[in-house]
Amino acid sequence: ETGVTQTPRHLVMGMTNKKSLKCEQHLGHNAMYWYKQSAKKPLELMFVYSLEERVENNSVPSRFSPECPNSSHLFLHLHTLQPEDSALYLCASSRDRVSGNQPQHFGDGTRLSIL
Amino acid sequence: AQKITQTQPGMFVQEKEAVTLDCTYDTSDQSYGLFWYKQPSSGEMIFLIYQGSYDEQNATEGRYSLNFQKARKSANLVISASQLGDSAMYFCAMREANTGNQFYFGTGTSLTVIP
């Protein structure tokens, strides 16, 4: 039990489909993050939310659309994805954005495959 | 420039032996934190150990210790008495205060423990 739950674990979709990834944290944290993990590359930070407000968007294409309805839930809405978007998408949370000694806690990830 | 460099794509260690995983970092900030994570094949990133830039002693957590050499900007992870369950990817990460505490991850080292 990690405290951060991601669903689904695996997702296969066509390029014209619309789907959403869900993340829920049970740790009482105020910051949540989406990362993309591709083979042999460092984790790429996509979005950061602090107290439900988006504070960072690292030049992510608009076909990825995040939503944070409250501090416990984070969604990543997917639309018209490309084959290069196939990757492991990891959600993480931390107590806040400013405490430098606080680690991020990660979910198990959603392995996304685009056909 | 790479913020975090892990030069060992793969490592092997005999069960019950110790192993060192290398990590060097690049920052001009005086205040930063260094983290190590373990990622088994299931995908979840598990936080292992933290070292603050102002900490004078090397961090230890059970069988994990961090060999922190500030002048050389290295933060190597030492795993003592390796177990088969230690086989996984290991990621070094850094959090800088002057970039809003953004996390930077290395490309990881794949560790295989041999029985």
Side-chain angles (χ1 to χ4, degrees), chain B residues 11-32:
Chain B
M11 291 281 286
F12 292 86
V13 64
Q14 203 72 40
E15 195 178 4
K16 299 179 187 172
E17 297 291 311
V19 64
T20 298
L21 307 184
D22 295 342
C23 172
T24 56
Y25 58 92
D26 180 26
T27 182
S28 56
D29 201 357
Q30 296 302 308
S31 178
Y32 54 89

Side-chain angles (χ1 to χ4, degrees), chain A residues 10-68:
Chain A
H10 302 273
L11 179 61
V12 180
M13 57 188 284
M15 289 192 283
T16 57
N17 291 155
K18 285 185 184 181
K19 296 284 184 185
S20 296
L21 310 186
K22 179 182 174 183
C23 176
E24 184 176 357
Q25 58 97 0
H26 314 276
L27 300 168
H29 289 167
N30 290 324
M32 296 187 78
Y33 311 78
W34 278 117
Y35 285 90
K36 176 184 179 183
Q37 186 179 26
S38 305
K40 296 190 169 73
K41 292 170 76 173
L43 265 70
E44 299 172 51
L45 179 64
M46 299 174 73
F47 300 103
V48 181
Y49 276 83
S50 177
L51 296 169
E52 301 135 50
E53 183 181 329
R54 189 193 308 181
V55 295
E56 202 155 331
N57 172 358
N58 279 4
S59 304
V60 179
S62 59
R63 56 186 184 269
F64 295 92
S65 173
E67 179 191 359
C68 188

Side-chain angles (χ1 to χ4, degrees), chain A residues 60-81:
Chain A
V60 179
S62 59
R63 56 186 184 269
F64 295 92
S65 173
E67 179 191 359
C68 188
N70 55 61
S71 60
S72 298
H73 293 85
L74 186 65
F75 295 89
L76 188 62
H77 304 299
L78 315 172
H79 176 49
T80 321
L81 295 193

